[in-house]
Amino acid sequence: MTDLDKDIKDLRVLISEEEIQKKLKTLASEIEKVFTVDEDIYVICVLKGSVMFCADLVKHFNHSVQMEFIRISSYGNEQKSSNNLQAIDLTLPNLHEKNVLIVEDIIDTGLTARFLTDLFKIKHHPKKLAFVTLLNKKCARQIEIEPDFYGFEIDDKFVVGYGLDYKGYYRNLPYIGYFPS
Ligand code: IMP
């Protein structure tokens, strides 16, 4: 029993597990093309939301990969984005002149993507920096920013599953779902 005000029985599937898994293969091969073949890719998994996406995506890479994990918080328990970005854990190795791929779950307002992109460019001076997000809510943008790669463009609705949560729940679902209003 949870204290959630939204019940899983009302959840509708927006993107199925099969669609996600199929997309990962094409995304991975597109991404790999922008990196030099014999160089490592430093994959930055932005916790907690991109945990599933990142873990599944890297399985399709032929490059040698190093995985790093950072934690950013912007939402709290709400369904609205906040300007209050918090870098909770940003411990990273030296990425100077390295190939870096930032892996996000969703770009909504764009604030987190901007924060991360600026941070990596200014602080780490990578050789190549690319940004991939599974979901792209283009219509919700508050600032102009586009990822280098994305899996699916979605409408401005709050989604859960495959790493994305509502009040900490539903991250474990293998698909992306939404609660109809
Ligand atoms: P942004 O800074 O507004 O682009 O939001 C980025 C972060 O907000 C994402 O990494 C998610 O953690 C969270 N977020 C945005 N939209 C949703 C959603 O529909 N469901 C769950 N989390 C979301």
Side-chain angles (χ1 to χ4, degrees):
M1 194 67 176
T2 72
D3 56 358
L4 276 175
D5 48 13
K6 292 184 195 296
D7 197 312
I8 193 157
K9 71 175 177 2
D10 299 323
L11 196 60
R12 304 228 176 121
V13 177
L14 182 66
I15 306 168
S16 70
E17 181 176 6
E18 291 71 27
E19 286 173 277
I20 295 171
Q21 295 304 325
K22 198 170 152 204
K23 179 69 76 174
L24 295 181
K25 287 189 195 152
T26 50
L27 252 188
S29 72
E30 270 178 50
I31 293 169
E32 280 200 305
K33 284 186 198 134
V34 308
F35 292 104
T36 314
V37 180
D38 54 354
E39 289 181 354
D40 292 357
I41 304 175
Y42 284 76
V43 173
I44 314 293
C45 175
V46 184
L47 297 173
K48 298 178 186 173
S50 70
V51 64
M52 304 282 187
F53 173 44
C54 190
D56 283 347
L57 183 73
V58 290
K59 291 175 196 163
H60 297 284
F61 283 154
N62 297 304
H63 274 76
S64 45
V65 160
Q66 302 241 13
M67 291 179 78
E68 299 293 338
F69 302 85
I70 62 172
R71 193 157 164 214
I72 305 286
S73 161
S74 78
Y75 263 80
N77 279 338
E78 300 307 315
Q79 288 188 37
K80 285 192 293 6
S81 197
S82 85
N83 291 353
N84 248 341
L85 287 179
Q86 255 188 307
I88 298 174
D89 186 358
L90 270 178
T91 316
L92 289 169
N94 183 2
L95 297 171
H96 186 75
E97 284 301 309
K98 304 289 188 199
N99 292 309
V100 174
L101 175 69
I102 303 175
V103 182
E104 254 286 45
D105 51 356
I106 186 165
I107 303 187
D108 183 13
T109 61
L111 293 165
T112 310
R114 163 65 62 226
F115 175 80
L116 286 168
T117 308
D118 289 351
L119 179 92
F120 276 83
K121 277 190 187 151
I122 293 162
K123 204 171 158 202
H124 294 279
H125 303 284
K127 176 175 175 188
K128 174 134 202 108
L129 179 67
F131 197 109
V132 60
T133 181
L134 178 65
L135 305 175
N136 193 0
K137 263 193 217 173
K138 277 190 192 179
C139 51
R141 235 28 132 256
Q142 286 176 17
I143 53 168
E144 225 175 278
I145 186 156
E146 274 309 315
D148 300 292
F149 307 95
Y150 65 87
F152 304 92
E153 183 174 341
I154 63 166
D155 292 343
D156 191 7
K157 44 168 71 97
F158 191 81
V159 290
V160 295
Y162 200 62
L164 291 126
D165 74 307
Y166 174 62
K167 297 190 175 178
Y169 290 92
Y170 304 124
R171 290 192 202 276
N172 57 314
L173 300 175
Y175 57 89
I176 302 286
Y178 69 100
F179 293 97
S181 41

